[in-house]
């Protein structure tokens, strides 16, 4: 990360009936493989640690999560 330069990765989460937990995927790369992988890893770990609210289980839904990496100046 270059000082003063912020980058954004967009991670998707989708769920459907029958899936044990939401699927996580890379929707938009920032162009840096390491940061893309870090964003995917963060969201994937959160999905495994935090149970879904009952209202969302077994339903179709999809969300986009922007992950912003902010460098120090």
């Amino acid at each position: 990360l270059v000082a003063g330069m912020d980058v954004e990765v967009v991670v998707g989460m989708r769920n459907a009936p029958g899936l044990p937990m939401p699927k996580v995927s890379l929707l938009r790369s920032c162009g840096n493989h390491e940061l893309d992988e870090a964003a995917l890893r963060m969201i994937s770990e959160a999905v495994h640690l935090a149970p879904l609210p009952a209202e969302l289980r077994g339903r179709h839904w999809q969300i986009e999560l922007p992950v912003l990496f902010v460098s120090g100046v």
Side-chain angles (χ1 to χ4, degrees):
L1 214 50
V2 177
M5 183 177 174
D6 302 340
V7 294
E8 182 181 75
V9 177
V10 180
V11 175
M13 275 180 39
R14 68 176 181 82
N15 196 55
L19 287 179
M21 60 183 36
K23 298 288 183 185
V24 176
S25 61
L26 180 66
L27 297 181
R28 190 171 62 236
S29 170
C30 69
N32 179 306
H33 179 72
E34 289 179 4
L35 294 178
D36 291 343
E37 288 299 315
L40 282 169
R41 205 167 36 253
M42 284 190 296
I43 301 303
S44 293
E45 288 178 15
V47 164
H48 286 87
L49 292 174
L52 282 176
E55 305 84 43
L56 296 179
R57 288 186 214 131
R59 303 181 93 189
H60 286 280
W61 53 265
Q62 181 172 328
I63 58 174
E64 294 183 7
L65 301 163
V67 178
L68 186 62
F69 292 93
V70 180
S71 68
V73 266

